[in-house]
Amino acid sequence: MTKTLVIAEKPSVAQDIVRALTPVAGKFDKHEDHFENDRYVVTSAVGHLVEIQAPEEFDVKRGKWSFAHLPVIPPYFDLKPVDKTKTRLNAVVKQAKRKDVTQLINACDAGREGELIFRLIEQYAGGAKPLGKPVKRLWLQSMTPQAIRDGFDALRTEQQMAGLASAARSRSEADWLVGINGTRAMTAFNSRDGGFFLTTVGRVQTPTLSLVVEREEKIRKFISRDYWEIHATFGAQAGEYPAKWFDPKWKKGEDVEARADRVWSAAEATAIANAVRGKQATVTEESKPTTQASPLLFDLTSLQREANGKFGFSAKTTLALAQSLYERHKALTYPRTDSRALPEDYLPVAKQTFEMLADSGMRHLAPHALTALNNNYVRPSKRIFDNSKVSDHFAIIPTLQAPSGLSEAEQKLYDLVVRRFMAVFFPSAEYTVTTRISTVAPHSFKTEGKVLVKPGWLAIYGKEAADEVEGGRDGDKGQNLVPVKPGEMVNTLQVDPKGLKTKPPARYSEATLLGAMESAGKQIDDDELREAMQEKGLGTPATRAAIIEGLLTEKYMLREGREIIPTAKAFQLMTLLRGLEVEELCRADLTGEWEFKLSQMEKGLLSRESFMAEIAAMTERMVKKAKEYDRDTIPGDYATLESPCPNCGGVVKENYRRFACVGKPGSEGCGFSFGKSPAGRTFETAEANALLRDKKIGPLEGFRSKAGWPFTSEIVIKYDDEAHNYKLEFDFGDDKKGEESGEIVEFEDASLGACPICGSEVHEHGSNYVCSKAVPTAAQPTPSCTFKSGKIILQQPVEREQMTKLLDTGKTDLLDKFVSMRTRRAFKAHLAWDKEAGKVNFEFAPSKFPPRKLAAAGAAAKTIAAKAGKTSAAAKKSAKPAAAKKAPATKTAATKAPRKAAAGKAPSAALAAVIGNEPVARPEAVKKMWEYIKAHNLQDPKDKRTIVADDKLRAVFGKDSAGMFELAGILGNHLGGE
């Protein structure tokens, strides 16, 4: 009997599909990596299992950070498994290749990414030739059992999905071409004078960054101007009312800051106030009804913007919450949508949703749902139900399933969606708007009153929305007005000129940046107009959060409160791209055009070939511009530092690459300068000022070695006797200098707690926390204790409060900014005192997801190995947790036999003289080598990254010294057979 293989994107979705199909297709048996019955085999990916890469003959690994092999534009792309999910990929491919499986169903998420995930798995499974099995597409927009069954009854053909598949592949390949070539070219350009300055660029991330940089440039260049408003209070028979002077003849001109109610001199404002003070005014007024409709239903971007504005949630957090409400709780429809309308046949479902909400027991929502049902609010409306405005998915709305067990954050987001869903069916809010003009000839004063007559949809939001009525918070707007009789003269009771200053544009928050990305940088406030523009936006609703997070991770932007601020690194990148005239990477509207072309491709209106040809041409031009640029500097808007040159007291100015002394007025510079981006980390202007002023700064994070490894260091400026000038140096804060010299240490800070080894006080000292008996002090010149722990470990700052907590309770809070030097991935851990080892070690939080029973022994061994012997000092050098000692996970009969135990390789005679004769893996050899180096004090005192060879090491190195980053390569040559 033949079977159909169903491939979902995530295990949870595979389980939902099995539960939904069981009543109609029969019971499924559960296997390790799939479910199976007589008709179906159901398995899943875990996101992307395969990624694209250039074929070996068209890409280059060595020298990839130079111009020599650029641009890399392969004629086709190979596939490679994602390392961390290779086992899962093999399991899925095994099912796809089964002879009894004759058809595949793509049940990955409905959208571009889901289509790509499946297509790449299918291609990989086929190998050199296509898999050759027919494919159908399951298109799910809701995860309820009935929606899943309905989806299986209406499977789409492979031909129907061809446009989406082309767009998915084109987007992936375009991002690869621009990202790989752009990043390598810009890194090569920035590193050509020495050092390594990783400069990442991307087809979407860089234009997004340009929006933030351009806004910051406007803020920095903004010159505030003084202006005045004239505020008055008038007295009528029925009471008092406020008003503001305005010029009824004013028309909008070239001055963007001019307004009808602004005057630009104090004298003019005072003259107007004096002219009307104490006089009577005539009154005219006009009242008219107006309505305000509710906002449209949410798509992902508008939901992210609203959640950021109301709750401060990041776009990434909102997406994760919405995804959880969709997948886990089945409470919301598919969240990665760009549509704000529902299908025209969805009216019955909308009514059922209101019925569910009315009966749900959610007291804050149920009464409004009942009101809608009793008053027949749920009826056809082109504003809500419109097939022409539904793309792959419809708007985000609640499902028919009432949720339970939501976290506080999930509940907030669910309420946000439900209120918006209900509000769109409720009547518009109705107001009476009164405009009153009080005239003391020739001056006019305006008062606007806005009275809520019928709340309509605002009733769902209560006071919160009523207070947010347009104009309701401006003091002279939105208030109830006391009546004025026809022909009544009113008295001018009080008039005050109010001095104000114009303000620069606001910095982007995540909410406003998402809006700018959606409209490719165009300022569009109207919902309907923004919806029409969104096909030309930057990225898609599903990718925008990741783009913002990527820019934050690469330190191009920082979050301060709710503001997003570009760093010096961002300004330097924009200066470079503008100077090279690579406008495609700077202009949001051009990238928005490409996004529009991808959406056209999805609809079958544009060929994949023409789009990719355009991307290839842009890539070639970008590399050519960088490669051929031959001027000394890049033109740009550069800063002048406040701190003087330490060598001659002259002025220090910024250029593209350096901060350099230009001398005192009338003289030339003395030659002092330092690079703006040592080891790939760009100084902020304030940091450069502080460095010149104090001659040291740090420790700072974010530096990278030539091999690309991250490290942390202090920066100092020292006088060089040979050069007769100051130069910049890294200071790795090795406090042994003081210990070896016998220099007495005096602690000025308060004790953090008791040393876990000897009970003495622990203090800050250089880049470490140390026991007061671990360094020479007046009380004890000879150190007797060994306790020391770094203030920054694997890029994670360890604050004083956390060290105090460790000393007091035995461990810190869970810290989340450690970065593995081996995988370069962030990880979370506690720092804990390991009494047995006599060191500070990592302690990992238990996983939320319990290990499978078969793998339990292996998981336990892995946890133990991960905790074994990791001091903070060792952690700075490596994130490899006792790899050689790690026990192998238990294997089932179905899996491959385990490889040989990690006996490693036999060391050469020269290496054996240093680390012993036992066969070792390279990581263990490096570890033993470092133990030897430390024990024999072989690090160069002036540069701790250089190892000075003794007789034994000279035989291994083949030279008198070696850099710390050379060690692994050298040892590889000395490790022989198994």
Side-chain angles (χ1 to χ4, degrees), residues 303-616:
L303 179 60
Q304 287 169 321
R305 294 181 67 190
E306 188 85 359
N308 181 255
K310 272 195 165 36
F311 311 127
F313 292 167
S314 70
K316 179 183 177 183
T317 298
T318 298
L319 176 56
L321 292 170
Q323 199 73 22
S324 173
L325 287 163
Y326 161 68
E327 276 182 20
R328 184 172 164 219
H329 298 288
K330 312 296 183 291
L332 294 184
T333 55
Y334 185 77
R336 296 169 184 258
T337 175
D338 61 357
S339 176
R340 304 188 70 175
L342 300 175
E344 289 166 15
D345 62 358
Y346 222 70
L347 182 63
V349 180
K351 284 185 177 174
Q352 289 175 307
T353 308
F354 269 92
E355 287 164 2
M356 178 277 292
L357 293 168
D359 293 338
S360 66
M362 289 183 277
R363 294 178 185 174
H364 59 304
L365 302 174
H368 303 300
L370 201 58
T371 299
L373 292 170
N374 292 340
N375 291 282
N376 193 30
Y377 288 164
V378 188
R379 49 182 182 263
S381 163
K382 205 65 174 166
R383 189 169 183 263
I384 307 168
F385 303 100
D386 188 346
N387 287 345
S388 69
K389 292 182 180 177
V390 174
S391 53
D392 301 337
H393 321 283
F394 50 75
I396 304 170
I397 62 170
T399 64
L400 297 174
Q401 194 160 316
S404 60
L406 301 185
S407 68
E408 183 183 353
E410 286 170 337
Q411 187 69 53
K412 282 181 175 179
L413 201 72
Y414 181 72
D415 284 0
L416 208 58
V417 174
V418 172
R419 288 182 197 273
R420 178 65 66 90
F421 170 71
M422 291 194 294
V424 82
F425 289 96
F426 267 59
S428 295
E430 296 180 15
Y431 300 91
T432 297
V433 176
T434 301
T435 303
R436 178 179 294 171
I437 308 296
S438 307
T439 304
V440 183
H443 300 292
S444 301
F445 291 77
K446 183 188 289 185
T447 310
E448 290 184 346
K450 194 171 187 180
V451 179
L452 185 62
V453 178
K454 290 184 180 177
W457 64 273
L458 287 172
I460 293 169
Y461 294 88
K463 289 181 181 179
E464 178 188 348
D467 292 342
E468 291 181 9
V469 171
E470 184 182 348
R473 290 175 288 183
D474 287 356
D476 62 331
K477 286 184 181 179
Q479 64 276 311
N480 290 316
L481 291 180
V482 298
V484 175
K485 296 175 182 176
E488 181 183 348
M489 299 289 286
V490 297
N491 296 313
T492 310
L493 301 179
Q494 189 174 346
V495 178
D496 296 304
K498 188 175 181 181
L500 300 165
K501 288 181 178 290
T502 56
K503 293 180 181 178
R507 285 194 176 106
Y508 281 112
S509 65
E510 236 172 292
T512 55
L513 182 55
L514 285 165
M517 292 174 74
E518 190 175 37
S519 55
K522 293 180 173 63
Q523 297 299 311
I524 300 173
D525 296 321
D526 181 79
D527 271 351
E528 276 84 351
L529 189 54
R530 189 188 299 115
E531 190 178 7
M533 264 296 298
Q534 63 189 11
E535 280 193 340
K536 296 190 177 186
L538 290 175
T540 66
T543 61
R544 284 174 192 139
I547 290 162
I548 292 173
E549 289 298 324
L551 289 167
L552 291 163
T553 300
E554 286 296 331
K555 300 292 188 290
Y556 280 122
M557 308 189 310
L558 301 171
R559 277 194 192 100
E560 282 192 10
R562 294 196 183 182
E563 290 185 331
I564 290 179
I565 302 173
T567 62
K569 183 179 177 182
F571 280 95
Q572 191 169 10
L573 175 60
M574 287 304 132
T575 298
L576 174 60
L577 296 177
R578 291 166 186 169
L580 296 178
E581 298 176 346
V582 188
E583 62 178 3
E584 296 93 334
L585 275 176
C586 296
R587 283 180 50 190
D589 56 340
L590 282 178
T591 307
E593 286 293 330
W594 286 328
E595 207 66 50
F596 174 68
K597 287 174 181 176
L598 287 171
S599 68
Q600 294 294 93
M601 199 185 301
E602 288 182 19
K603 301 180 177 84
L605 303 175
L606 179 72
S607 76
R608 170 164 149 71
E609 292 70 26
S610 65
F611 177 81
M612 291 311 301
E614 187 178 346
I615 292 291

Side-chain angles (χ1 to χ4, degrees), residues 637-696:
D637 184 13
Y638 296 119
T640 299
L641 299 188
E642 296 170 3
S643 300
C645 169
N647 192 49
C648 72
V651 175
V652 178
K653 286 192 173 183
E654 174 189 15
N655 58 41
Y656 178 67
R657 297 185 185 282
R658 307 185 72 77
F659 290 101
C661 175
V662 296
K664 296 178 181 178
S667 66
E668 293 186 357
C670 66
F672 168 76
S673 72
F674 61 94
K676 284 168 62 175
S677 304
R681 184 197 185 280
T682 305
F683 283 117
E684 299 291 331
T685 304
E687 290 176 337
N689 269 315
L691 177 60
L692 286 188
R693 184 185 66 237
D694 303 330
K695 295 192 174 55
K696 69 174 183 177

Side-chain angles (χ1 to χ4, degrees), residues 737-872:
K737 288 183 291 187
E739 298 164 31
E740 291 162 1
S741 67
E743 184 180 334
I744 297 298
V745 176
E746 292 183 18
F747 296 113
E748 297 179 359
D749 64 310
S751 169
L752 289 99
C755 170
I757 296 176
C758 70
S760 301
E761 292 182 348
V762 172
H763 294 271
E764 281 188 57
H765 177 50
S767 60
N768 292 308
Y769 297 110
V770 300
C771 173
S772 58
K773 291 189 176 179
V775 293
T777 61
Q780 183 178 312
T782 303
S784 61
C785 185
T786 59
F787 178 80
K788 178 164 69 173
S789 184
K791 287 158 72 174
I792 297 180
I793 298 174
L794 292 182
Q795 302 191 56
Q796 167 70 59
V798 182
E799 305 295 346
R800 284 179 60 91
E801 306 82 68
Q802 292 299 331
M803 180 51 60
T804 299
K805 190 161 192 172
L806 185 148
L807 297 172
D808 186 39
T809 67
K811 69 179 179 181
T812 65
D813 294 333
L814 188 66
L815 306 177
D816 61 1
K817 292 186 176 65
F818 295 107
V819 178
S820 165
M821 288 186 70
R822 181 171 61 86
T823 66
R824 305 192 193 186
R825 293 197 185 105
F827 66 92
K828 301 177 183 180
H830 300 274
L831 292 176
W833 175 248
D834 186 337
K835 186 176 180 181
E836 192 174 318
K839 302 171 182 176
V840 172
N841 280 337
F842 291 120
E843 182 178 303
F844 296 97
S847 172
K848 295 178 187 175
F849 307 102
R852 287 180 294 196
K853 289 180 183 177
L854 286 171
K862 192 172 183 179
T863 304
I864 292 166
K867 291 180 183 176
K870 257 210 170 185
T871 67
S872 57

